[in-house]
Amino acid sequence: MKLLPLFCILLYHQVFADYRDREVVKFVANVTHTLAARRTGTFICWLLLFSIESSSEQLYGDLSKELSVGEQVTTLQADYTKNYDATYPSPNVVTIFAGALNQKLNDEHLVNWLEAIPVECFVILTFKQTSVKLVPQIAAAFAGYAVVNFIMIAVNEDVVYSFHYMPLQTYSTMGFPAPQIVLYDRLGLLQLNEISGTYFQDAYAYPLADMMARVDNKLFALFFQTLGIRFKTQPASCNASVSFSKCLDLQNNTDIFINQYFAHQFNDQLIDSIEMQRFGLFIPNGRPLSIVEIFILPFDANVWLLIGILYLVYYVVHHFAPTLFQNNIILLAVFGWEKHTLRLTERCEKLCTLAIIVLFFQLQCAYETIVISSMINRPTKPIPQTIQDVRKQNMKVLYDANMLNLKHFDMNLEGIVLNSGNHYVDQENTAFLCNLFSLELLSMDVSNIDKTDPGRPRHVILKQTLWQSVAFYYFRKKSIFAQRFARFRRLAFEAGLQQQWKHELIMYFKRKRDMLYHQTIDRDRHTLNIDNMGPIFKLFLVQWGAALFVFICELCVFWLKNHAQRLLVAWYRRQIERLNNMLWIMSH
């Protein structure tokens, strides 16, 4: 009779343990199916046994049978003797069966499994509670492996633990809550005041001197604002030869790399930027033509060659057959010099002369029109349109070796030799290789204004694209923000936020350039005054003086010619009179 109370106590504990195990299996299965209902496609569940106790093995087997019913969940089972293999599918939910808690999680197999669990995966730990003080320590140890979607279920006590992070806070619940209660958003409840990000200087991430944030700065700031976290940036303190991933690992006081960069191999630390980044060349704008080049501009080499051949042919014909044409046809067509009246010449000469006159008249009209329009709006040398044009002009092409490693990318360079240069420099016959958004900002920058002609840019963007690819954002390994940012990034792109921020940034540069242009432009230079008209009057005076000089010369020549003729006639008369006198004397 004395053993009866002890037997009743043992029976009660056994009945409670069996009931508790069934309720634990039912609750874990319910949570698993709730998560599976939120997803499409294959749902992976890991069942990991890390206990040698028979009760844990029994719980492990019962849950495996419960989840095997139906085809909604695919399970992967492993015990403490099996190590993790990278070929295993990534889980959506993990259930770990443990015995009495041990503060030190130094089991090598368990560590390998924990490191393979994704951040967004939900983890359930069943254990035998021996001390409440060990619960937050175990939660902190799991958080060290970025396991934050985490609950603990005691199998020997009626309690379920859930946690908030930064700082760590433990919440206990009696009984089994509804799955929606434990499946809350852990990131949304982070009590973190500030997070830092680092950047290299580029068109997307570098903050302007007047504190106007750029596109990626705004994207990350808005993302952390939705989480109630203040975001600050700081420049990277890495050597230029260090890669982005190594640079982030070396930054102890930062969590995120703001810059977009091009990965050689894809991994789970990369979040794509969705948009394609295109690369092109920033080439010098064509310089204004000189006066000599303007006078040569109207006709190309073939037309000038044809005119030269016509001159040569008619010169040879006139020289070797002077009787064929009575007039010099070229001089007649160009200057109107007519030795003999054209209507009295032969029919062949008339036809040839009329054809040459019409041809030279059309050429002269086109020539004068182009020259006059070029004087009003001075043209420039043609700008290269393709990579071949750039190569033909033997341009020096610079690129920022800190931001772009060309060894890993197949760019369409057409044999152009690239030279490393940290920044864009304004040099003659020098181009700059960069992404098109950076080049678009450079084209709007005040440094691209031509001081000699404020209305034209110094450099323009080459129309042909050299290369394009998807860029990525880089996060630390198992970052708790990576997948959340990926979803936010897609929503921001679909809402058109980044396109709007880019447009605002371009308009900011454009307004700044226009303000400087209106401040520096010399408006008096475009006003017609006596100083502007002075050269024109001087040119007219020179022309009038030359015409007067030619007129006087013509008068002198005409007077000298007439005077010489009169002297010659008078001499002939005297000679004739003398001869007549001599003949008369001889006759008498």
Side-chain angles (χ1 to χ4, degrees), residues 6 32-33 70 124 135 156 190 202 205 242 251 262-263 269 317 404 423 452 457 471 473 487:
L6 179 61
T32 302
H33 286 104
I124 304 172
V135 172
N156 60 336
L190 289 180
D202 70 353
V242 179
Q251 305 286 320
F262 302 97
Q269 295 175 249
V317 171
L404 189 63
H423 301 287
T452 59
Y473 298 100
R487 292 190 292 270

Side-chain angles (χ1 to χ4, degrees), residues 46-91:
W46 284 1
L47 302 179
L48 306 179
L49 175 63
F50 282 91
S51 175
I52 59 176
E53 298 180 3
S54 59
S55 59
S56 299
E57 293 180 358
Q58 181 66 31
L59 193 65
Y60 171 77
D62 292 343
L63 182 60
S64 176
K65 293 179 182 178
E66 182 71 20
L67 295 178
S68 63
V69 177
E71 301 179 354
Q72 190 177 9
V73 179
T74 301
T75 59
L76 185 149
Q77 303 178 21
D79 57 16
Y80 54 87
T81 63
K82 193 171 185 179
N83 199 2
Y84 170 74
D85 193 330
T87 59
Y88 294 156
S90 182

Side-chain angles (χ1 to χ4, degrees), residues 225-295:
Q225 183 181 350
T226 60
L227 299 178
I229 303 173
R230 189 169 65 89
F231 182 65
K232 70 174 184 178
T233 59
Q234 59 186 5
S237 59
C238 300
N239 194 338
S241 59
V242 179
S243 65
F244 276 23
S245 57
K246 292 182 180 179
C247 181
L248 183 59
D249 294 336
L250 295 174
Q251 305 286 320
N252 297 325
N253 57 345
T254 188
D255 301 288
I256 295 170
F257 221 123
I258 301 176
N259 295 79
Q260 301 179 25
Y261 86 111
F262 302 97
H264 311 146
Q265 295 180 349
F266 183 79
N267 56 56
D268 55 1
Q269 295 175 249
L270 300 176
I271 302 299
D272 67 279
S273 62
I274 302 178
E275 293 178 292
M276 298 288 288
Q277 274 201 38
R278 296 183 298 163
F279 278 74
L281 288 178
F282 204 42
I283 57 176
N285 198 358
R287 64 170 180 82
L289 298 181
S290 63
I291 297 299
V292 177
E293 291 173 331
I294 288 177
F295 280 101

Side-chain angles (χ1 to χ4, degrees), residues 6-270:
L6 179 61
F7 177 76
C8 292
I9 293 173
L10 292 176
L11 182 62
Y12 170 77
H13 280 288
Q14 183 62 36
V15 172
F16 174 79
D18 293 342
Y19 173 76
R20 181 68 178 175
D21 287 349
R22 290 194 299 271
E23 291 298 316
V24 168
V25 170
K26 182 179 178 181
F27 174 73
V28 174
N30 194 12
V31 171
T32 302
H33 286 104
T34 302
L35 289 172
R38 297 179 180 181
R39 289 181 55 88
T40 57
T42 305
F43 187 84
I44 307 298
C45 175
W46 284 1
L47 302 179
L48 306 179
L49 175 63
F50 282 91
S51 175
I52 59 176
E53 298 180 3
S54 59
S55 59
S56 299
E57 293 180 358
Q58 181 66 31
L59 193 65
Y60 171 77
D62 292 343
L63 182 60
S64 176
K65 293 179 182 178
E66 182 71 20
L67 295 178
S68 63
V69 177
E71 301 179 354
Q72 190 177 9
V73 179
T74 301
T75 59
L76 185 149
Q77 303 178 21
D79 57 16
Y80 54 87
T81 63
K82 193 171 185 179
N83 199 2
Y84 170 74
D85 193 330
T87 59
Y88 294 156
S90 182
N92 304 109
V93 64
V94 176
T95 303
I96 302 175
F97 302 91
L101 290 180
N102 184 359
Q103 181 179 351
K104 297 181 181 180
L105 293 176
N106 54 3
D107 186 273
E108 182 180 354
H109 288 188
L110 178 59
V111 170
N112 292 335
W113 285 99
L114 291 179
E115 289 180 345
I117 296 176
V119 176
E120 64 275 11
C121 178
F122 193 80
V123 179
I124 304 172
L125 176 66
T126 64
F127 70 103
K128 182 180 291 186
Q129 180 170 292
T130 57
S131 175
V132 179
K133 296 181 180 179
L134 292 178
V135 172
Q137 297 175 2
I138 295 298
F142 272 71
Y145 298 96
V147 178
V148 293
N149 295 308
F150 180 58
I151 62 173
M152 298 175 64
I153 304 175
V155 294
N156 60 336
E157 300 286 344
D158 187 17
V159 61
V160 176
Y161 296 99
S162 59
F163 308 92
H164 292 177
Y165 297 90
M166 296 182 184
L168 180 64
Q169 299 177 5
T170 304
Y171 296 88
S172 60
T173 305
M174 303 296 292
F176 293 99
Q180 292 77 9
I181 296 178
V182 297
L183 297 177
Y184 58 86
D185 183 13
R186 268 73 174 174
L187 288 183
L189 299 175
L190 289 180
Q191 297 181 11
L192 184 64
N193 295 327
E194 186 178 80
I195 193 170
S196 62
T198 188
Y199 62 86
F200 279 115
Q201 178 179 351
D202 70 353
Y204 292 92
Y206 186 68
L208 297 176
D210 53 4
M211 304 306 294
M212 180 178 181
R214 296 207 180 188
V215 178
D216 286 340
N217 295 60
K218 285 188 175 183
L219 181 65
F220 278 95
L222 184 60
F223 167 67
F224 286 107
Q225 183 181 350
T226 60
L227 299 178
I229 303 173
R230 189 169 65 89
F231 182 65
K232 70 174 184 178
T233 59
Q234 59 186 5
S237 59
C238 300
N239 194 338
S241 59
V242 179
S243 65
F244 276 23
S245 57
K246 292 182 180 179
C247 181
L248 183 59
D249 294 336
L250 295 174
Q251 305 286 320
N252 297 325
N253 57 345
T254 188
D255 301 288
I256 295 170
F257 221 123
I258 301 176
N259 295 79
Q260 301 179 25
Y261 86 111
F262 302 97
H264 311 146
Q265 295 180 349
F266 183 79
N267 56 56
D268 55 1
Q269 295 175 249
L270 300 176

Side-chain angles (χ1 to χ4, degrees), residues 511-526:
R511 288 193 296 269
K512 190 174 180 180
R513 182 197 61 182
D514 293 342
M515 288 177 61
L516 182 64
Y517 168 73
H518 290 298
Q519 290 174 1
T520 58
I521 187 174
D522 186 8
R523 299 185 181 277
D524 294 335
R525 186 168 62 89
H526 301 280

Side-chain angles (χ1 to χ4, degrees), residues 367-437:
Y367 184 84
E368 291 176 352
T369 302
I370 296 176
V371 169
I372 292 173
S373 62
S374 301
M375 291 291 187
I376 298 172
N377 186 13
R378 179 170 290 189
T380 61
K381 276 200 167 185
I383 304 172
Q385 302 294 324
T386 62
I387 305 299
Q388 293 85 349
D389 297 338
V390 175
R391 181 170 55 82
K392 289 177 182 179
Q393 294 190 13
N394 196 24
M395 285 188 184
K396 182 180 179 182
V397 180
L398 303 178
Y399 75 101
D400 191 349
N402 296 339
M403 300 299 299
L404 189 63
N405 188 354
L406 296 180
K407 296 180 180 179
H408 303 282
F409 306 110
D410 185 18
M411 290 194 176
N412 182 25
L413 298 177
E414 301 287 344
I416 296 177
V417 179
L418 301 180
N419 301 274
S420 177
N422 291 335
H423 301 287
Y424 155 72
V425 290
D426 181 21
Q427 296 179 356
E428 187 176 355
N429 205 34
T430 300
F432 187 68
L433 170 64
C434 194
N435 66 73
L436 291 186
F437 181 58

